[in-house]
Amino acid sequence: MDLRALLRPTDAADDPAPWVDEAATPRPALDGDTTCDVLVVGAGLTGLWAAYYLLEADPALDVLLVERGTTGQDERGIGACSARVGLDADGIAQRYGDAAAHDARAVLRDAVVEVGGVAAVEEVECGFRFGGELVVAGDDEALARLARQATAATRWGDETHVLDAAALADHVGVEGAVGGTWSPEAARLDPGALARGLRDALLARGARVVDATAVARVSAGAAVTTHGTVRAARIVDTRPSGASRGAATLATAPLPEATWAAVGLARGEVLAHCDGLRVVREPAGRLVAGCAPAARRGTRAVGAAARSADALHAALVALLPVLADAPVTHAWQRPLAAPGALPSVGLQAEHAWARSGGTGPAAANVAGRTLAELVTGTQSALTRAPWVRRG
Ligand SMILES: Cc1cc2nc3c(=O)[nH]c(=O)nc-3n(C[C@H](O)[C@H](O)[C@H](O)COP(=O)(O)OP(=O)(O)OC[C@H]3O[C@@H](n4cnc5c(N)ncnc54)[C@H](O)[C@@H]3O)c2cc1C
């Protein structure tokens, strides 16, 4: 299958991921110069979460979100809201110490629950299913490695269950799998619907959200945009830094029940292959697959799958052969952070920032919550984390 014609560039604003079957209604652009208490630059999930927690801390704040594209339209994730991020607990411990690793794991596990909890409270219909994450082993050696990792993970408070082939088959029908692991701290969701729902919750609380307005320059107390200058006591900058490489992601057409009966994932589980491939059954019945950067660098085949939609499709069909003839309707590139990335946030004078585009919806929640706490001067495990930089 040649998917190159479907493959879309990373940064095109009019290029929705399949999550956006229902197009987001654009908000008006900024209408000239204005002032606010807090300006949030970028209305991706990190910016939306930052605004959400800012208003939760102080409902009287005048918060303005400025988005270059259309809020909720350009969400490019695979819909896996997992506590597992690019850097595992051992990596965090090596970099920052054992206590930081323990805290980070707790914060990330909590973020998955937090995302689902806010979606429920705010009545955001984003298909949140707390189905956990499956990791599949293709041979006994891989299963033994997963079992060792499951034991080691308990040190950091992570719960992981080792599954034999029959127990795995109860979750997913993977060709040739000898078993795997299941951990509870992951959910599937529709990230576009989550972003649109958060936007609507913010509007209901009196925040202003403007689309089609690019911030050109940020300095202390002011930002110049394409539609006017914003003066703000505090600025929260969530623009991704630098040019990012793309990671291939694809989505099938909604699949018939017979195919889903063979694949499984009926409880909203996120399926992860040992070497980085991730698969999600999205709420409308599409299957979405992408190559997330794994803590353990993968095989050559999966490395290729991260770069090319055709290679990704081949890796997916090798895992789930029932998909061989399933039509692929979308293929796109999503930003790929460097392996080992954590949410990176900081505060310098009145300017707070988050970098690296998050590393998934749970990390975006952590980054947004941390930004809000830095701005409001709240002391917590989030703001004390060693990766939080202060100027
Ligand atoms: C390593 C990695 C792993 C990931 N894994 C997953 C996963 O498992 N599941 C999943 O669903 N997603 C995943 N993602 C996708 C990503 O986490 C989500 O898309 C998330 O929403 C990122 O949110 P963000 O707000 O941090 O960044 P973005 O969504 O990139 O938000 C930044 C916003 O700023 C806006 N902006 C940029 N420049 C300007 C400007 N000059 N003026 C105004 N606005 C501007 C952009 O238009 C954008 O809306 C992953 C991403 C990475 C990098």
Side-chain angles (χ1 to χ4, degrees):
M1 188 178 294
D2 185 353
L3 301 178
R4 271 168 299 192
L6 286 170
L7 201 60
R8 296 152 185 229
T10 310
D11 229 15
D14 58 349
D15 161 29
W19 306 108
V20 193
D21 283 341
E22 179 195 336
T25 311
R27 302 277 313 150
L30 186 67
D31 184 20
D33 296 353
T34 190
T35 60
C36 60
D37 295 326
V38 185
L39 167 66
V40 179
V41 181
L45 285 176
T46 300
L48 290 161
W49 282 121
Y52 183 84
Y53 291 110
L54 279 164
L55 284 169
E56 194 173 70
D58 183 355
L61 276 179
D62 178 13
V63 177
L64 170 64
L65 282 93
V66 174
E67 167 57 42
R68 175 179 68 177
T70 301
T71 304
Q73 183 76 43
D74 303 325
E75 183 50 60
R76 281 159 204 289
I78 56 171
C81 180
S82 172
R84 290 205 308 160
V85 295
L87 189 58
D88 64 10
D90 289 332
I92 299 171
Q94 275 168 20
R95 215 182 275 180
Y96 302 112
D98 286 6
H102 208 275
D103 287 353
R105 293 304 308 149
V107 159
L108 283 159
R109 287 192 301 270
D110 180 54
V112 181
V113 181
E114 178 71 11
V115 170
V118 173
V121 167
E122 301 295 343
E123 299 180 354
V124 176
E125 300 281 339
C126 64
F128 184 92
R129 288 287 302 272
F130 206 177
E133 183 157 317
L134 298 160
V135 183
V136 173
D139 56 39
D140 290 338
E141 193 190 326
L143 186 57
R145 187 173 59 243
L146 288 179
R148 285 195 300 275
Q149 287 171 355
T151 305
T154 58
R155 180 178 173 207
W156 310 112
D158 288 330
E159 176 190 340
T160 311
H161 302 263
V162 179
L163 309 178
D164 61 18
L168 180 73
D170 185 44
H171 291 280
V172 64
V174 168
E175 181 84 354
V178 300
T181 55
W182 178 82
S183 48
E185 286 92 10
R188 78 96 208 264
L189 51 75
D190 172 338
L194 175 64
R196 295 193 296 278
L198 285 174
R199 175 203 60 187
D200 293 346
L202 292 170
L203 291 169
R205 283 168 171 70
R208 286 177 285 163
V209 183
V210 297
D211 286 340
T213 304
V215 170
R217 287 280 184 277
V218 176
S219 69
V224 177
T225 82
T226 46
H227 290 74
T229 297
V230 182
R231 296 199 175 279
R234 296 292 184 103
I235 296 178
V236 172
D237 191 352
T238 70
R239 288 173 296 174
S241 62
S244 47
R245 291 177 297 140
T249 313
L250 63 79
T252 67
L255 299 175
E257 271 313 310
T259 307
W260 279 121
V263 171
L265 303 180
R267 304 174 194 108
E269 301 96 324
V270 174
L271 170 63
H273 194 255
C274 280
D275 353 65
L277 186 66
R278 274 190 180 179
V279 178
V280 165
R281 174 178 183 165
E282 63 109 21
R286 298 178 187 276
L287 181 145
V288 182
C291 229
R296 190 176 73 82
R297 297 318 301 152
T299 61
R300 203 178 303 162
V302 171
R307 291 189 295 275
S308 133
D310 283 306
L312 171 62
H313 185 254
L316 179 65
V317 171
L319 198 65
L320 302 165
V322 68
L323 297 176
D325 297 323
V328 174
T329 55
H330 298 70
W332 71 101
Q333 301 271 354
R334 70 178 164 83
L336 178 69
L342 278 172
S344 164
V345 289
L347 179 69
Q348 210 165 22
E350 308 304 301
H351 180 197
W353 48 266
R355 297 267 154 71
S356 86
T359 51
N365 175 271
V366 171
R369 215 165 3 142
T370 309
L371 284 167
E373 293 191 353
L374 286 170
V375 167
T376 54
T378 309
Q379 297 288 326
S380 75
L382 289 176
T383 56
R384 282 191 295 272
W387 51 85
V388 173
R389 315 226 179 96
R390 290 164 194 274

